[in-house]
Every structure is written in C-alpha cells, then in structure tokens.
Amino acid sequence: MLTPRWSSTARCYTAALIAGLHLSLVFSFSHHPISITPSTDARDVSQQLLIPPNVIGPPEPLRSLRTGEHIDAFRSLQYEGIQCNNNSEILEFSIERVSSKPDIFCLRNFVTQAECEQIQSLAKETDQSRAETVTKNDTSSRTNCSVAWIPSNGARKFNLVSDLVSSTANIFLSKDVLSHPSAGVEDLQVLEYEVGGEFVYHHDGIPRILTVIYYLNGVGGTWFPLACAESEEITTQLTEPRNKAHALELVKDLAPGRDGLLVKGTGNKRNESNQRECTSNTVWIGQGDALAFYNYLDDGSARVDWRSLHCGLQTTNEDGTKWIANHWYRLNSLLE
C-alpha cells in the first residue's frame, strides 16, 4: 500500500496559485500561453492534443490508485484556536479512490469538528442569501438553500480557509497547474439546505477543473449517476456522454444507490463512515469528510467530462439541515 504523507507546510507550488486570488467570485483572466485551447463537442481532436495529458487530472500517487485503495496523509493545523480532538496540531486523514470515471476521491476525517463548526459560524455571520446558480437569478435549480461566501485569500481571508486551499491544492493539483499564472481558486461557498432542499443535475462548469466538497455536518446526498467505480477495462466499454443533453438522456432510467455513485451521510457521528460498508455504487461520509472530483478529461483533449454530472438529492426530515462547503479550482486558460 502506498503511504506518502503530505503537509500543508509544503507550499512551494501554491505560491503562484494563491498570488492571483481576488475576493470576488470570479478571477480576472490571465492571458499566458500554456498550449491550451478550448474544445467543443464538434471539434475533431484526433489530430491535436489541446493540453498535455496528465495535467488537469490527479497527480501521482493518486492517479495510480485503484478503486477502493487508499493512502494515508496528514495536514498541519497552523492557526490559532483549532486543534484536533487529541489536542495535536497534526491531523491525520486518508484519501480513497471511489470512482475511476470520473476521478473521485473521498478524504476521511479531513476537517476537524471545530473547523466544521467554525465554517458554519462564519457563514451565519455573513449576509446569507438565497442560493443562485451560475445563471443569474436562477433559484429554481437549487431550492430551499442559503449561500454564503468566505474569502479564500486577500485582506479579508480566514486562516482556516487558506489552510484548506493550501492542503487540497497540494494534494490534488499537478505541478503544472499549481505553477500556472491563470490558475486560481474561488472563495469558499458555504451552503445550508433546509428540509426539502435539492440541486438538480448540473456540471460545475468551465473552467473549474477540480471541485472539493466539505461535508460540515455529515449529511450527504450527492449523486453522480454516470460515475463508474469499476476497472478501466470495463469503463472503456461504457457510452461516453458527448454533452449535457446526451448526459441527461443517459441518466433517465438510473436510480441512486443502484447506479453511478451515491454519497450517503452518517450525520455528525465522526468516524462512523469508516465502519459502514461501501459498495461500488454507495460511499458513506461523516462530518469532516470531503469529496474531490475532476471536471475535465485528462486525455489531452481539454474537453469537459460529462461523467462529472451530479446532483444534490432532496434532503429529508431524517437528514435535517444539510451543511456543505465547496472549493472550485480554476484554470482560466481554458476560457481563451
């Protein structure tokens, strides 16, 4: 079993990533050549690599993990007021691959209970508003949900959020992305879903290459209907969705828990997710767990991976209120 260990103190590659961050939701674009051009569904990419392979997907050793395999890691809690349950400043966690297409990883015990509670408190202290999507004034796709934004960097940043950025960036982004001037991370989005709240099928969009979801109170309900946890030999035989319309057509007769990958929650009972039996179609999470997934194909085509299509299932009375937070990592060159 591979057992590398990371620390958020290893920030040499995050300097370029963090230097260009703004307080606003969307960064200003940096026009620097990196041999990346946007692709469309109609473009014939057989004769040209639009971006080098193994750049916008998981780096090693994550790339070599098979579904169900994990590696151990740690991060340093380098800010005042936060410690692990054992009063240590080192938080140990594990990273498990839970899907091969798209690349999805579950981080067990990645965020402490105190950090989860602090993020919720920060969100409540801001002006929470009714959540919209990237389509302005669209509040129908996501219902019974309030949103808050917490700066990831700049004068108003919080050390907790910056530490999460540093840790996840070093683990999940390649050196090429980390050192590229158009790379960036959006402010932390914190969502509070009331009972009945849901988010319909969606893709996280261009140019977000990586999404990290933090489960702040152990309520899950994230479903990837087209995800496949099987071996590469099997997944290569599956129909690849060409665009959003094709992806939505493919999911018509699929069901959570039977098809794709369903993320189910155990509530705020930490460590219980490790004791629940996971299947190829279901993974259990608890408070402080996180999910990282990639939104682009890493084959040199620079095309959106529509297998990353997902939804937030309707929260139930048994679930209660659902708290999650999202970090989106961008490569703005993909917009050029």
Side-chain angles (χ1 to χ4, degrees):
M1 181 65 64
L2 300 171
T3 55
R5 301 172 69 80
W6 285 279
S7 169
S8 61
T9 56
R11 303 187 181 208
C12 54
Y13 293 118
T14 58
L17 180 78
I18 294 176
L21 301 190
H22 290 214
L23 295 179
S24 59
L25 173 59
V26 181
F27 306 123
S28 59
F29 303 145
S30 299
H31 299 283
H32 298 271
I34 190 180
S35 300
I36 299 176
T37 56
S39 65
T40 65
D41 296 323
R43 177 177 294 180
D44 179 5
V45 297
S46 60
Q47 302 299 319
Q48 179 185 12
L49 291 181
L50 302 177
I51 184 173
N54 302 327
V55 169
I56 54 177
E60 292 291 2
L62 299 179
R63 187 187 311 133
S64 297
L65 286 180
R66 297 177 66 87
T67 303
E69 292 183 337
H70 76 277
I71 54 179
D72 297 318
F74 72 91
R75 66 185 184 91
S76 301
L77 305 177
Q78 299 181 332
Y79 46 94
E80 184 178 356
I82 297 292
Q83 287 184 319
C84 301
N85 295 336
N86 59 1
N87 295 323
S88 170
E89 295 182 354
I90 298 296
L91 177 64
E92 296 187 346
F93 61 95
S94 65
I95 309 169
E96 177 187 354
R97 179 186 281 275
V98 294
S99 170
S100 59
K101 283 193 173 185
D103 294 299
I104 307 179
F105 300 88
C106 184
L107 295 84
R108 305 284 186 191
N109 299 313
F110 183 68
V111 186
T112 69
Q113 179 177 347
E115 288 175 320
C116 290
E117 293 172 353
Q118 183 175 344
I119 292 173
Q120 294 176 61
S121 295
L122 290 173
K124 292 175 182 177
E125 292 170 5
T126 66
D127 294 328
Q128 285 182 282
S129 59
R130 191 177 182 190
E132 299 179 357
T133 66
V134 290
T135 304
K136 188 173 178 59
N137 297 323
D138 175 18
T139 57
S140 61
S141 298
R142 179 162 36 204
T143 58
N144 288 20
C145 183
S146 299
V147 63
W149 298 94
I150 302 176
S152 296
N153 199 53
R156 295 176 55 246
K157 73 174 183 180
F158 293 89
N159 290 335
L160 162 58
V161 179
S162 296
D163 186 77
L164 292 176
V165 168
S166 178
S167 298
T168 52
N170 274 292
I171 294 171
F172 291 105
L173 298 180
S174 69
K175 294 179 181 179
D176 293 300
V177 171
L178 287 169
S179 60
H180 194 266
S182 82
V185 62
E186 299 181 25
D187 290 345
L188 183 69
Q189 182 195 57
V190 185
L191 297 167
E192 179 186 11
Y193 286 88
E194 300 296 338
V195 172
E198 64 180 328
F199 194 1
V200 300
Y201 292 124
H202 63 282
H203 189 281
D204 282 349
I206 300 172
R208 294 166 172 169
I209 60 173
L210 173 71
T211 300
V212 181
I213 303 176
Y214 310 99
Y215 294 93
L216 302 180
N217 68 342
V219 178
T222 313
W223 182 39
F224 298 81
L226 298 175
C228 184
E230 303 298 335
S231 65
E232 185 174 351
E233 292 77 8
I234 297 177
T235 56
T236 53
Q237 302 173 19
L238 298 177
T239 301
E240 292 293 340
R242 298 183 301 272
N243 49 44
K244 185 175 183 179
H246 187 209
L248 292 175
E249 181 69 25
L250 292 174
V251 305
K252 275 186 176 180
D253 298 321
L254 304 184
R258 186 194 69 190
D259 304 294
L261 182 71
L262 173 62
V263 180
K264 298 190 70 173
T266 62
N268 58 9
K269 299 175 182 178
R270 298 183 65 86
N271 300 315
E272 186 170 316
S273 59
N274 294 326
Q275 302 169 17
R276 297 288 186 100
E277 182 179 357
C278 296
T279 68
S280 60
N281 299 113
T282 302
V283 59
W284 289 90
I285 58 90
Q287 182 186 41
D289 290 348
L291 201 74
F293 60 94
Y294 294 84
N295 297 307
Y296 277 79
L297 296 171
D298 195 23
D299 58 0
S301 66
R303 290 177 296 154
V304 165
D305 187 353
W306 285 103
R307 286 195 178 279
S308 297
L309 185 86
H310 58 286
C311 67
L313 298 177
Q314 189 174 88
T315 54
T316 65
N317 288 322
E318 183 180 357
D319 293 328
T321 301
K322 171 182 175 179
W323 282 92
I324 62 172
N326 300 304
H327 261 140
W328 288 297
Y329 291 90
R330 303 164 61 97
L331 191 60
N332 287 322
S333 292
L334 292 166
L335 289 169
E336 298 177 359

